[in-house]
Amino acid sequence: MALRLQTTSACTQLPPILPNLLEIPACGTPPPAAALLQDLEFYIDIWSDLGLLFSDAVSGSDLRNGIKNPPREAPSPHRIHLDKPDYKMVLQVEPRIAIPLGHGPAVSVLVARRDTNKMARILDREAVDYVDRNVCKAMAYEYLKFSPAHPFTSRIRAWVSLLFSSVNDDDYADVFGIEIDFCDAASSEREVLLLLDMLDWK
């Protein structure tokens, strides 16, 4: 599969698709999310044509903690991004993994609720085919699948970004971080939790 090269972040180029979906009602306080971030477990798997490359179960709390000490080789765009105070869900990958960009990498993310033992899909083996070598990031996305209780919700994407420090001559990316975001509609923990509440939990 040919990789589509991006020169800037796909998220920053796109206007919000659903700007009013998660706004606080003018008449009162925002509705509480059904689950807390620490009640959620995220299952992240990365494949390529060569087989399974990465598989881990990560608590929501660990994603919130992010990457406190990026590796010395991390390029400045990542350092600037990770140092910003805005909300992020980032996993530090230790040990780092080599992702073969030329061998059809794909990513899946499921989320489970510990309080109900239900699961929902975020990404289902989506191709990592947006590669921005200027900022050392490779991205995949999928439109979220919402519960039938929310039939008129606009299409909202979930993005997974592989943060890498370099790419060698064989086109292997040295990945040190994985970021999950919903930049179309959610930019805070409360908004992310409300968005996840709307998924098709089974």
Coordinates of all heavy atoms in Angstrom, one line a residue, residues 46-53 99-100 103-106 125 172:
I46 N -0.6 -3.4 17.1 CA -0.1 -2.9 15.8 C 0.5 -4.1 15.0 O 1.2 -4.9 15.6 CB 1.1 -1.9 16.1 CG1 0.5 -0.7 16.9 CG2 1.6 -1.4 14.7 CD1 1.6 0.3 17.3
W47 N 0.0 -4.2 13.8 CA 0.5 -5.3 12.9 C 1.2 -4.7 11.7 O 1.1 -3.5 11.4 CB -0.7 -6.1 12.3 CG -1.5 -6.9 13.3 CD1 -1.3 -8.2 13.6 CD2 -2.6 -6.5 14.0 NE1 -2.2 -8.7 14.5 CE2 -3.1 -7.6 14.7 CE3 -3.3 -5.3 14.1 CZ2 -4.2 -7.6 15.6 CZ3 -4.4 -5.3 15.0 CH2 -4.8 -6.4 15.7
S48 N 1.8 -5.5 10.9 CA 2.3 -5.2 9.6 C 2.2 -6.5 8.8 O 1.8 -7.6 9.3 CB 3.7 -4.7 9.6 OG 4.7 -5.8 9.7
D49 N 2.6 -6.4 7.5 CA 2.7 -7.7 6.7 C 3.6 -8.7 7.3 O 3.5 -9.9 7.0 CB 3.2 -7.3 5.3 CG 2.3 -6.4 4.5 OD1 1.1 -6.2 4.9 OD2 2.7 -5.8 3.6
L50 N 4.5 -8.3 8.2 CA 5.4 -9.2 8.8 C 4.9 -9.9 10.1 O 5.5 -10.8 10.6 CB 6.7 -8.5 9.1 CG 7.4 -7.7 8.0 CD1 8.6 -6.9 8.4 CD2 7.7 -8.7 6.8
G51 N 3.7 -9.5 10.5 CA 3.1 -10.1 11.7 C 2.8 -9.0 12.8 O 2.9 -7.8 12.6
L52 N 2.5 -9.5 14.0 CA 2.2 -8.6 15.1 C 3.5 -8.0 15.6 O 4.5 -8.6 15.9 CB 1.6 -9.5 16.3 CG 1.1 -8.7 17.5 CD1 0.0 -7.7 17.2 CD2 0.7 -9.7 18.6
L53 N 3.4 -6.6 15.8 CA 4.6 -5.9 16.2 C 4.5 -5.4 17.6 O 5.5 -5.1 18.3 CB 4.7 -4.6 15.3 CG 4.9 -5.0 13.8 CD1 4.9 -3.7 13.0 CD2 6.1 -5.7 13.5
I99 N 8.8 0.0 13.5 CA 7.6 -0.1 12.7 C 8.0 0.0 11.2 O 8.5 1.0 10.8 CB 6.5 0.9 13.0 CG1 6.1 0.8 14.4 CG2 5.3 0.7 12.1 CD1 5.4 -0.5 14.8
P100 N 7.8 -1.1 10.4 CA 8.2 -1.0 9.0 C 7.2 -0.3 8.2 O 6.1 -0.8 7.8 CB 8.3 -2.5 8.6 CG 7.3 -3.2 9.5 CD 7.3 -2.4 10.8
H103 N 5.6 -1.8 5.0 CA 5.0 -3.2 5.0 C 3.6 -3.1 5.6 O 3.2 -4.0 6.4 CB 5.9 -4.1 5.8 CG 7.1 -4.6 5.1 ND1 7.2 -5.6 4.3 CD2 8.4 -4.0 5.2 CE1 8.4 -5.8 3.8 NE2 9.2 -4.8 4.3
G104 N 2.9 -2.1 5.2 CA 1.4 -2.1 5.5 C 1.1 -2.1 7.0 O 0.3 -2.9 7.5
P105 N 1.7 -1.2 7.8 CA 1.4 -1.2 9.3 C -0.1 -0.8 9.5 O -0.7 0.0 8.7 CB 2.3 -0.1 9.9 CG 2.7 0.7 8.7 CD 2.7 -0.1 7.5
A106 N -0.7 -1.4 10.5 CA -2.1 -1.2 10.8 C -2.3 -1.2 12.3 O -1.5 -1.9 13.0 CB -3.0 -2.2 10.1
R125 N -8.1 -2.4 13.0 CA -7.0 -2.7 12.1 C -7.0 -1.7 10.9 O -7.0 -2.1 9.7 CB -7.2 -4.1 11.5 CG -5.9 -4.8 11.1 CD -5.9 -6.3 11.2 NE -4.6 -6.8 10.9 CZ -4.2 -8.1 11.1 NH1 -5.0 -8.9 11.7 NH2 -3.0 -8.5 10.8
Y172 N 12.3 1.7 8.5 CA 11.7 1.3 9.8 C 11.7 2.5 10.7 O 12.8 3.2 10.8 CB 12.6 0.2 10.4 CG 12.2 -1.2 10.0 CD1 12.6 -1.6 8.7 CD2 11.6 -2.1 10.8 CE1 12.3 -2.9 8.2 CE2 11.3 -3.4 10.4 CZ 11.6 -3.8 9.1 OH 11.3 -5.0 8.7

